[in-house]
Amino acid sequence: MTMALDLTGITNEREFYTDYYLGSELEEALRPVFARWTTADGDAPDSPLAAVRRCGAAWPAMHVELDGLTDPAARLECQRAWLRTLLDALGYAWQPGIREDEEGVTIPIAGEITRADGSPELWLIEALDATNELGDPLGLPFLREQLPPGDELKWTGDASLEDVLTDQVFAGEEPPRWVLLFHAGQLLLIDRTKWADRRLLRFHFDRIFTSGDATRLLPALAGAESICPRDGNNLLDRLDEGSHKHAAKVSEDLKYSARECIERIGNEALYYLREVLKEKVYGVLAPEDLSRECLRYLYRLLFLFYVEARPALGYAPMDSEEYRTGYSLESLRELALAPLDTERSRNGYFLDASTKTLFKLIYRGFAPQEQMTMAAAAGEEGGRSLVHTFEMKPLEGDLFDDARTPTLCRVRLRNHVLQQVLEL
């Protein structure tokens, strides 16, 4: 079984590649690259991977030295001594120069790769953090110390490098396709075709050099061999194509799965109305109304899977053991994988009751409640404690409103049907 790559230290901002592709397919796509860098005894000593590992070993000492410097020029010299070795490991030549936009504003670059016709393909751009926070390079300006003597009057001033990229670099007459923006703490891989959405890959040096996979991924994704190969067979474009194809396949699979889910939920609702409630359904219940309710039910499940898979959104309290094990859709999915090998487990309604409880929790919200302990009852201090350890704000929209699913609120869906729906 192939394990997913460890992406520690790499931020896939706004899905430069789809998250699922990075987690599930990237390992296979990069296998030929990794194979070229290894021998029977381990890393090939002259490979980009071995060179990057040596840079990683030197990073902590550089960071300590940088921490003791306050003069911008001294800090620049310190980080450059290390950055030159890193860029060399990635296959880039350190060739400082300047470029001017149409208004004569100077843009210092650390190096460049050009196309056959001389137009720029990739620019290396260095940032300098005057503090040792080593924050986001995009939020930093160029400093006067980065400009050659005599060019200070053409300095971009306090403009952030994010604005410089937008207004000067990519707005030029012949802009580069790629930019590597870096300082002593981070490297950003930026593609002009994705910049409008601010989609990029961010490599955090303090973390990737302690992760075996991330150390491999840095040269594989940000190396010259992958971005600007001599034969023009760009690995990153192939990865991008693979990511798009995979996303299209997932969308196509989801379309057919969604259709089957709607049919299973609708048929089960009809079964319950007819066989359990003994109600007449044909000629009474409009098929389009039931289909709409089933679709809304499916959207509820998709919404919950999405927010629970992304704790950073701050909605589903997946860090709460109580929510995760007692209420979450993720816990129900795990239960849904269990075999239903008895009549009671197949035809019971545990999954139905659990999903309805969760839907109500989302719609109405949930706040921690205090309970009075025996100590409080006795008049002692500190006698109140929280019963529940998580909080959810109410999501009072149409999606989880029971009034929008009047038929499905009246029926119960058997475990074996909901199990199939959750699997799909």
Side-chain angles (χ1 to χ4, degrees), residues 125-183:
I125 297 181
E126 179 188 24
L128 178 67
D129 193 336
T131 73
N132 209 41
E133 296 298 324
L134 299 182
D136 184 358
L138 289 171
L140 301 173
F142 281 126
L143 300 183
R144 291 183 184 274
E145 289 79 4
Q146 294 178 257
L147 299 178
D151 283 313
E152 291 87 348
L153 295 178
K154 301 176 183 178
W155 176 47
T156 55
D158 294 328
S160 69
L161 286 175
E162 180 175 359
D163 290 338
V164 171
L165 286 172
T166 301
D167 300 333
Q168 272 88 39
V169 176
F170 291 141
E173 202 169 292
E174 287 188 323
R177 161 76 186 279
W178 305 93
V179 167
L180 290 185
L181 173 63
F182 46 81
H183 59 30

Short mmCIF file of all heavy atoms in Angstrom, two decimals, residues 125-183:
data_model
loop_
_atom_site.label_atom_id
_atom_site.label_comp_id
_atom_site.label_asym_id
_atom_site.label_seq_id
_atom_site.Cartn_x
_atom_site.Cartn_y
_atom_site.Cartn_z
N ILE A 125 13.67 36.09 -7.25
CA ILE A 125 13.53 37.37 -6.55
C ILE A 125 13.78 37.14 -5.06
O ILE A 125 13.11 36.31 -4.44
CB ILE A 125 12.15 38.00 -6.78
CG1 ILE A 125 11.97 38.33 -8.27
CG2 ILE A 125 11.97 39.26 -5.93
CD1 ILE A 125 10.64 38.98 -8.60
N GLU A 126 14.72 37.91 -4.53
CA GLU A 126 15.07 37.79 -3.11
C GLU A 126 14.33 38.85 -2.30
O GLU A 126 14.22 40.01 -2.71
CB GLU A 126 16.58 37.98 -2.95
CG GLU A 126 17.06 37.90 -1.52
CD GLU A 126 18.52 38.28 -1.38
OE1 GLU A 126 19.03 39.03 -2.27
OE2 GLU A 126 19.16 37.87 -0.40
N ALA A 127 13.82 38.43 -1.16
CA ALA A 127 13.24 39.36 -0.18
C ALA A 127 14.15 39.39 1.04
O ALA A 127 14.94 38.47 1.25
CB ALA A 127 11.83 38.92 0.21
N LEU A 128 14.04 40.43 1.82
CA LEU A 128 14.82 40.52 3.06
C LEU A 128 13.90 41.00 4.18
O LEU A 128 13.30 42.07 4.07
CB LEU A 128 15.99 41.48 2.91
CG LEU A 128 16.83 41.69 4.19
CD1 LEU A 128 17.56 40.40 4.57
CD2 LEU A 128 17.83 42.83 4.02
N ASP A 129 13.80 40.20 5.23
CA ASP A 129 13.04 40.60 6.41
C ASP A 129 14.01 41.29 7.37
O ASP A 129 15.00 40.69 7.80
CB ASP A 129 12.41 39.38 7.08
CG ASP A 129 11.37 39.76 8.11
OD1 ASP A 129 11.44 40.89 8.63
OD2 ASP A 129 10.48 38.94 8.40
N ALA A 130 13.75 42.54 7.67
CA ALA A 130 14.66 43.31 8.54
C ALA A 130 14.64 42.79 9.97
O ALA A 130 15.52 43.10 10.76
CB ALA A 130 14.28 44.79 8.52
N THR A 131 13.62 42.01 10.33
CA THR A 131 13.54 41.38 11.66
C THR A 131 13.89 39.91 11.50
O THR A 131 14.13 39.43 10.39
CB THR A 131 12.13 41.52 12.25
OG1 THR A 131 11.24 40.63 11.55
CG2 THR A 131 11.62 42.93 12.11
N ASN A 132 13.89 39.18 12.60
CA ASN A 132 14.14 37.75 12.49
C ASN A 132 12.84 36.96 12.53
O ASN A 132 12.84 35.76 12.80
CB ASN A 132 15.08 37.25 13.60
CG ASN A 132 15.90 36.05 13.14
OD1 ASN A 132 16.37 36.01 12.01
ND2 ASN A 132 16.06 35.06 14.01
N GLU A 133 11.72 37.62 12.27
CA GLU A 133 10.44 36.92 12.23
C GLU A 133 10.35 36.04 10.98
O GLU A 133 9.64 35.05 10.96
CB GLU A 133 9.28 37.93 12.24
CG GLU A 133 9.19 38.76 13.52
CD GLU A 133 8.94 37.89 14.74
OE1 GLU A 133 8.19 36.90 14.63
OE2 GLU A 133 9.50 38.22 15.80
N LEU A 134 11.05 36.45 9.93
CA LEU A 134 11.02 35.72 8.65
C LEU A 134 9.58 35.49 8.21
O LEU A 134 9.14 34.36 7.96
CB LEU A 134 11.78 34.40 8.75
CG LEU A 134 13.28 34.54 9.08
CD1 LEU A 134 13.95 33.18 9.11
CD2 LEU A 134 13.98 35.45 8.09
N GLY A 135 8.83 36.59 8.14
CA GLY A 135 7.42 36.52 7.78
C GLY A 135 7.20 36.34 6.30
O GLY A 135 8.13 36.07 5.53
N ASP A 136 5.97 36.51 5.88
CA ASP A 136 5.56 36.29 4.50
C ASP A 136 6.36 37.20 3.56
O ASP A 136 6.25 38.43 3.65
CB ASP A 136 4.07 36.57 4.37
CG ASP A 136 3.53 36.26 2.98
OD1 ASP A 136 4.33 35.85 2.09
OD2 ASP A 136 2.31 36.41 2.77
N PRO A 137 7.13 36.65 2.64
CA PRO A 137 7.89 37.50 1.71
C PRO A 137 6.99 38.43 0.90
O PRO A 137 7.42 39.52 0.50
CB PRO A 137 8.60 36.48 0.80
CG PRO A 137 8.70 35.24 1.62
CD PRO A 137 7.45 35.22 2.45
N LEU A 138 5.75 38.01 0.62
CA LEU A 138 4.86 38.83 -0.17
C LEU A 138 4.51 40.15 0.52
O LEU A 138 4.19 41.14 -0.14
CB LEU A 138 3.56 38.07 -0.49
CG LEU A 138 3.67 36.91 -1.48
CD1 LEU A 138 2.38 36.13 -1.53
CD2 LEU A 138 4.03 37.43 -2.87
N GLY A 139 4.57 40.18 1.83
CA GLY A 139 4.22 41.38 2.56
C GLY A 139 5.38 42.33 2.78
O GLY A 139 5.20 43.41 3.33
N LEU A 140 6.57 41.92 2.33
CA LEU A 140 7.76 42.75 2.53
C LEU A 140 8.01 43.64 1.32
O LEU A 140 7.67 43.28 0.20
CB LEU A 140 8.98 41.85 2.76
CG LEU A 140 8.92 40.90 3.95
CD1 LEU A 140 10.11 39.96 3.93
CD2 LEU A 140 8.88 41.70 5.26
N PRO A 141 8.66 44.79 1.52
CA PRO A 141 9.09 45.62 0.39
C PRO A 141 10.53 45.29 0.01
O PRO A 141 11.25 44.63 0.76
CB PRO A 141 9.00 47.03 0.96
CG PRO A 141 9.38 46.84 2.41
CD PRO A 141 8.86 45.47 2.82
N PHE A 142 10.94 45.72 -1.17
CA PHE A 142 12.37 45.73 -1.45
C PHE A 142 13.03 46.77 -0.53
O PHE A 142 12.46 47.82 -0.26
CB PHE A 142 12.63 46.14 -2.91
CG PHE A 142 12.42 45.03 -3.90
CD1 PHE A 142 11.57 45.20 -4.99
CD2 PHE A 142 13.08 43.82 -3.76
CE1 PHE A 142 11.38 44.19 -5.92
CE2 PHE A 142 12.90 42.79 -4.68
CZ PHE A 142 12.05 42.98 -5.76
N LEU A 143 14.23 46.48 -0.08
CA LEU A 143 14.99 47.45 0.72
C LEU A 143 16.04 48.12 -0.16
O LEU A 143 16.51 47.55 -1.15
CB LEU A 143 15.66 46.74 1.90
CG LEU A 143 14.72 46.04 2.89
CD1 LEU A 143 15.52 45.46 4.06
CD2 LEU A 143 13.63 46.98 3.40
N ARG A 144 16.41 49.34 0.22
CA ARG A 144 17.41 50.07 -0.57
C ARG A 144 18.72 49.28 -0.68
O ARG A 144 19.42 49.37 -1.68
CB ARG A 144 17.68 51.43 0.08
CG ARG A 144 16.51 52.40 -0.01
CD ARG A 144 16.91 53.75 0.58
NE ARG A 144 15.79 54.67 0.60
CZ ARG A 144 15.45 55.47 -0.42
NH1 ARG A 144 16.15 55.40 -1.55
NH2 ARG A 144 14.42 56.28 -0.34
N GLU A 145 19.03 48.50 0.37
CA GLU A 145 20.27 47.74 0.37
C GLU A 145 20.30 46.68 -0.73
O GLU A 145 21.38 46.16 -1.06
CB GLU A 145 20.47 47.06 1.73
CG GLU A 145 20.81 48.00 2.87
CD GLU A 145 19.61 48.74 3.42
OE1 GLU A 145 18.47 48.48 2.97
OE2 GLU A 145 19.80 49.60 4.30
N GLN A 146 19.13 46.34 -1.29
CA GLN A 146 19.09 45.33 -2.34
C GLN A 146 19.37 45.92 -3.72
O GLN A 146 19.51 45.16 -4.69
CB GLN A 146 17.71 44.64 -2.35
CG GLN A 146 17.42 43.82 -1.10
CD GLN A 146 16.04 43.20 -1.13
OE1 GLN A 146 15.12 43.67 -0.48
NE2 GLN A 146 15.89 42.15 -1.92
N LEU A 147 19.42 47.23 -3.83
CA LEU A 147 19.64 47.88 -5.12
C LEU A 147 21.11 48.22 -5.33
O LEU A 147 21.82 48.57 -4.38
CB LEU A 147 18.80 49.16 -5.22
CG LEU A 147 17.28 48.99 -5.10
CD1 LEU A 147 16.63 50.36 -5.17
CD2 LEU A 147 16.75 48.09 -6.19
N PRO A 148 21.57 48.14 -6.56
CA PRO A 148 22.96 48.54 -6.85
C PRO A 148 23.14 50.02 -6.59
O PRO A 148 22.19 50.81 -6.69
CB PRO A 148 23.12 48.21 -8.34
CG PRO A 148 22.01 47.26 -8.66
CD PRO A 148 20.88 47.62 -7.74
N PRO A 149 24.36 50.45 -6.26
CA PRO A 149 24.62 51.90 -6.05
C PRO A 149 24.23 52.70 -7.28
O PRO A 149 24.50 52.31 -8.42
CB PRO A 149 26.14 51.95 -5.82
CG PRO A 149 26.50 50.57 -5.32
CD PRO A 149 25.56 49.63 -6.03
N GLY A 150 23.52 53.80 -7.04
CA GLY A 150 23.09 54.66 -8.14
C GLY A 150 21.66 54.42 -8.59
O GLY A 150 21.08 55.23 -9.30
N ASP A 151 21.07 53.28 -8.16
CA ASP A 151 19.69 52.98 -8.57
C ASP A 151 18.68 53.25 -7.46
O ASP A 151 17.51 52.91 -7.59
CB ASP A 151 19.58 51.52 -8.99
CG ASP A 151 20.16 51.28 -10.38
OD1 ASP A 151 19.83 52.07 -11.29
OD2 ASP A 151 20.92 50.32 -10.55
N GLU A 152 19.13 53.85 -6.35
CA GLU A 152 18.22 54.04 -5.22
C GLU A 152 17.02 54.92 -5.58
O GLU A 152 15.93 54.77 -5.04
CB GLU A 152 18.97 54.66 -4.04
CG GLU A 152 19.98 53.72 -3.38
CD GLU A 152 21.34 53.79 -4.05
OE1 GLU A 152 21.42 54.39 -5.16
OE2 GLU A 152 22.32 53.26 -3.50
N LEU A 153 17.21 55.86 -6.53
CA LEU A 153 16.11 56.76 -6.88
C LEU A 153 14.99 56.04 -7.62
O LEU A 153 13.88 56.55 -7.73
CB LEU A 153 16.65 57.92 -7.74
CG LEU A 153 17.64 58.86 -7.04
CD1 LEU A 153 18.12 59.92 -8.02
CD2 LEU A 153 17.01 59.48 -5.80
N LYS A 154 15.28 54.86 -8.16
CA LYS A 154 14.27 54.09 -8.88
C LYS A 154 13.66 52.98 -8.01
O LYS A 154 13.03 52.07 -8.49
CB LYS A 154 14.88 53.45 -10.13
CG LYS A 154 15.48 54.47 -11.10
CD LYS A 154 16.15 53.77 -12.25
CE LYS A 154 16.81 54.78 -13.20
NZ LYS A 154 17.51 54.10 -14.31
N TRP A 155 13.87 53.12 -6.72
CA TRP A 155 13.39 52.14 -5.73
C TRP A 155 11.86 52.10 -5.71
O TRP A 155 11.19 53.13 -5.89
CB TRP A 155 13.96 52.58 -4.38
CG TRP A 155 13.53 51.78 -3.20
CD1 TRP A 155 13.50 50.44 -3.07
CD2 TRP A 155 13.09 52.31 -1.94
NE1 TRP A 155 13.08 50.09 -1.82
CE2 TRP A 155 12.81 51.22 -1.10
CE3 TRP A 155 12.91 53.61 -1.46
CZ2 TRP A 155 12.37 51.37 0.21
CZ3 TRP A 155 12.47 53.76 -0.16
CH2 TRP A 155 12.20 52.65 0.66
N THR A 156 11.30 50.94 -5.47
CA THR A 156 9.84 50.80 -5.44
C THR A 156 9.22 51.34 -4.16
O THR A 156 8.00 51.32 -3.99
CB THR A 156 9.44 49.32 -5.59
OG1 THR A 156 10.10 48.54 -4.58
CG2 THR A 156 9.81 48.79 -6.96
N GLY A 157 10.02 51.77 -3.23
CA GLY A 157 9.49 52.37 -2.01
C GLY A 157 8.93 51.31 -1.07
O GLY A 157 9.49 50.23 -0.92
N ASP A 158 7.83 51.66 -0.43
CA ASP A 158 7.23 50.77 0.57
C ASP A 158 6.26 49.77 -0.03
O ASP A 158 5.58 49.05 0.70
CB ASP A 158 6.50 51.60 1.63
CG ASP A 158 7.46 52.45 2.45
OD1 ASP A 158 8.61 51.99 2.64
OD2 ASP A 158 7.07 53.55 2.88
N ALA A 159 6.16 49.70 -1.34
CA ALA A 159 5.23 48.76 -1.98
C ALA A 159 5.61 47.33 -1.60
O ALA A 159 6.78 46.95 -1.62
CB ALA A 159 5.27 48.93 -3.49
N SER A 160 4.62 46.54 -1.22
CA SER A 160 4.88 45.14 -0.88
C SER A 160 5.27 44.37 -2.14
O SER A 160 4.92 44.76 -3.26
CB SER A 160 3.64 44.51 -0.25
OG SER A 160 2.61 44.36 -1.23
N LEU A 161 5.97 43.28 -1.95
CA LEU A 161 6.36 42.47 -3.10
C LEU A 161 5.15 41.85 -3.78
O LEU A 161 5.18 41.56 -4.97
CB LEU A 161 7.35 41.39 -2.66
CG LEU A 161 8.75 41.92 -2.36
CD1 LEU A 161 9.66 40.83 -1.81
CD2 LEU A 161 9.38 42.52 -3.60
N GLU A 162 4.07 41.68 -3.05
CA GLU A 162 2.83 41.23 -3.69
C GLU A 162 2.37 42.26 -4.72
O GLU A 162 1.99 41.91 -5.85
CB GLU A 162 1.73 41.01 -2.65
CG GLU A 162 0.43 40.53 -3.25
CD GLU A 162 -0.62 40.19 -2.20
OE1 GLU A 162 -0.33 40.30 -1.00
OE2 GLU A 162 -1.74 39.80 -2.59
N ASP A 163 2.42 43.54 -4.35
CA ASP A 163 2.04 44.60 -5.29
C ASP A 163 3.05 44.73 -6.43
O ASP A 163 2.67 44.99 -7.58
CB ASP A 163 1.91 45.94 -4.56
CG ASP A 163 0.70 45.97 -3.62
OD1 ASP A 163 -0.23 45.18 -3.85
OD2 ASP A 163 0.71 46.77 -2.67
N VAL A 164 4.33 44.55 -6.11
CA VAL A 164 5.36 44.63 -7.15
C VAL A 164 5.14 43.54 -8.19
O VAL A 164 5.24 43.78 -9.40
CB VAL A 164 6.76 44.52 -6.52
CG1 VAL A 164 7.83 44.37 -7.61
CG2 VAL A 164 7.06 45.74 -5.67
N LEU A 165 4.83 42.33 -7.73
CA LEU A 165 4.56 41.24 -8.67
C LEU A 165 3.37 41.58 -9.57
O LEU A 165 3.40 41.35 -10.78
CB LEU A 165 4.29 39.94 -7.92
CG LEU A 165 5.50 39.25 -7.29
CD1 LEU A 165 5.04 38.08 -6.42
CD2 LEU A 165 6.46 38.76 -8.35
N THR A 166 2.32 42.12 -8.97
CA THR A 166 1.09 42.42 -9.72
C THR A 166 1.29 43.60 -10.66
O THR A 166 0.93 43.52 -11.85
CB THR A 166 -0.06 42.73 -8.74
OG1 THR A 166 -0.27 41.59 -7.89
CG2 THR A 166 -1.34 43.02 -9.51
N ASP A 167 1.86 44.67 -10.14
CA ASP A 167 1.90 45.93 -10.90
C ASP A 167 3.12 46.08 -11.80
O ASP A 167 3.05 46.80 -12.81
CB ASP A 167 1.83 47.12 -9.93
CG ASP A 167 0.57 47.11 -9.09
OD1 ASP A 167 -0.44 46.56 -9.56
OD2 ASP A 167 0.59 47.64 -7.96
N GLN A 168 4.22 45.44 -11.44
CA GLN A 168 5.43 45.60 -12.23
C GLN A 168 5.84 44.31 -12.96
O GLN A 168 5.98 44.29 -14.17
CB GLN A 168 6.60 46.07 -11.35
CG GLN A 168 6.71 47.57 -11.20
CD GLN A 168 5.89 48.12 -10.05
OE1 GLN A 168 5.82 47.51 -9.00
NE2 GLN A 168 5.28 49.28 -10.25
N VAL A 169 6.01 43.23 -12.19
CA VAL A 169 6.57 42.00 -12.78
C VAL A 169 5.63 41.38 -13.80
O VAL A 169 5.97 41.21 -14.98
CB VAL A 169 6.93 40.99 -11.68
CG1 VAL A 169 7.44 39.68 -12.30
CG2 VAL A 169 7.99 41.57 -10.74
N PHE A 170 4.42 41.05 -13.38
CA PHE A 170 3.50 40.34 -14.27
C PHE A 170 2.73 41.28 -15.20
O PHE A 170 2.07 40.81 -16.13
CB PHE A 170 2.52 39.49 -13.46
CG PHE A 170 3.17 38.32 -12.77
CD1 PHE A 170 2.78 37.94 -11.49
CD2 PHE A 170 4.18 37.61 -13.39
CE1 PHE A 170 3.37 36.86 -10.85
CE2 PHE A 170 4.78 36.52 -12.77
CZ PHE A 170 4.38 36.15 -11.50
N ALA A 171 2.79 42.57 -14.95
CA ALA A 171 2.11 43.53 -15.83
C ALA A 171 3.03 44.02 -16.94
O ALA A 171 2.62 44.83 -17.77
CB ALA A 171 1.59 44.71 -15.01
N GLY A 172 4.26 43.53 -16.98
CA GLY A 172 5.21 43.98 -17.98
C GLY A 172 4.88 43.49 -19.38
O GLY A 172 4.01 42.63 -19.57
N GLU A 173 5.61 44.03 -20.34
CA GLU A 173 5.37 43.66 -21.74
C GLU A 173 5.78 42.22 -22.01
O GLU A 173 5.13 41.50 -22.77
CB GLU A 173 6.17 44.61 -22.65
CG GLU A 173 5.62 44.69 -24.06
CD GLU A 173 6.26 45.83 -24.84
OE1 GLU A 173 5.99 47.00 -24.49
OE2 GLU A 173 7.02 45.52 -25.77
N GLU A 174 6.86 41.77 -21.38
CA GLU A 174 7.32 40.39 -21.50
C GLU A 174 7.54 39.82 -20.10
O GLU A 174 8.68 39.70 -19.63
CB GLU A 174 8.61 40.29 -22.33
CG GLU A 174 8.41 40.52 -23.81
CD GLU A 174 9.67 40.21 -24.60
OE1 GLU A 174 10.78 40.51 -24.08
OE2 GLU A 174 9.56 39.68 -25.71
N PRO A 175 6.48 39.45 -19.42
CA PRO A 175 6.63 38.98 -18.03
C PRO A 175 7.13 37.53 -18.00
O PRO A 175 6.89 36.75 -18.93
CB PRO A 175 5.20 39.06 -17.49
CG PRO A 175 4.34 38.83 -18.69
CD PRO A 175 5.07 39.49 -19.84
N PRO A 176 7.83 37.15 -16.94
CA PRO A 176 8.21 35.75 -16.80
C PRO A 176 6.99 34.91 -16.48
O PRO A 176 6.01 35.39 -15.90
CB PRO A 176 9.18 35.78 -15.62
CG PRO A 176 8.76 36.97 -14.82
CD PRO A 176 8.27 37.98 -15.82
N ARG A 177 7.04 33.65 -16.87
CA ARG A 177 5.94 32.73 -16.52
C ARG A 177 6.03 32.35 -15.04
O ARG A 177 5.01 32.23 -14.37
CB ARG A 177 6.06 31.47 -17.39
CG ARG A 177 5.31 30.23 -16.87
CD ARG A 177 3.83 30.30 -17.09
NE ARG A 177 3.15 29.18 -16.44
CZ ARG A 177 3.05 27.94 -16.95
NH1 ARG A 177 3.60 27.66 -18.14
NH2 ARG A 177 2.41 26.99 -16.30
N TRP A 178 7.26 32.17 -14.54
CA TRP A 178 7.46 31.69 -13.18
C TRP A 178 8.27 32.69 -12.37
O TRP A 178 9.13 33.38 -12.90
CB TRP A 178 8.22 30.35 -13.18
CG TRP A 178 7.59 29.28 -14.02
CD1 TRP A 178 7.87 28.99 -15.33
CD2 TRP A 178 6.58 28.37 -13.61
NE1 TRP A 178 7.09 27.94 -15.76
CE2 TRP A 178 6.29 27.54 -14.72
CE3 TRP A 178 5.89 28.16 -12.41
CZ2 TRP A 178 5.34 26.52 -14.67
CZ3 TRP A 178 4.94 27.15 -12.36
CH2 TRP A 178 4.68 26.36 -13.48
N VAL A 179 7.99 32.72 -11.06
CA VAL A 179 8.80 33.49 -10.12
C VAL A 179 9.06 32.62 -8.90
O VAL A 179 8.13 32.00 -8.36
CB VAL A 179 8.11 34.79 -9.68
CG1 VAL A 179 8.82 35.41 -8.46
CG2 VAL A 179 8.09 35.81 -10.82
N LEU A 180 10.32 32.53 -8.49
CA LEU A 180 10.67 31.98 -7.18
C LEU A 180 11.01 33.16 -6.28
O LEU A 180 11.98 33.88 -6.54
CB LEU A 180 11.86 31.03 -7.28
CG LEU A 180 11.65 29.68 -7.98
CD1 LEU A 180 12.90 28.82 -7.87
CD2 LEU A 180 10.45 28.94 -7.41
N LEU A 181 10.19 33.39 -5.27
CA LEU A 181 10.38 34.47 -4.31
C LEU A 181 10.84 33.86 -2.99
O LEU A 181 10.20 32.91 -2.51
CB LEU A 181 9.07 35.25 -4.13
CG LEU A 181 9.04 36.32 -3.06
CD1 LEU A 181 10.03 37.43 -3.35
CD2 LEU A 181 7.62 36.88 -2.91
N PHE A 182 11.90 34.38 -2.38
CA PHE A 182 12.45 33.70 -1.22
C PHE A 182 13.20 34.66 -0.31
O PHE A 182 13.61 35.75 -0.70
CB PHE A 182 13.43 32.60 -1.68
CG PHE A 182 14.39 33.05 -2.74
CD1 PHE A 182 15.53 33.78 -2.42
CD2 PHE A 182 14.14 32.79 -4.09
CE1 PHE A 182 16.40 34.22 -3.41
CE2 PHE A 182 14.99 33.24 -5.09
CZ PHE A 182 16.14 33.96 -4.74
N HIS A 183 13.32 34.23 0.94
CA HIS A 183 14.28 34.81 1.87
C HIS A 183 14.79 33.67 2.74
O HIS A 183 14.65 32.50 2.35
CB HIS A 183 13.70 35.99 2.66
CG HIS A 183 12.50 35.69 3.50
ND1 HIS A 183 12.23 34.47 4.07
CD2 HIS A 183 11.46 36.50 3.90
CE1 HIS A 183 11.11 34.53 4.78
NE2 HIS A 183 10.62 35.75 4.67
#
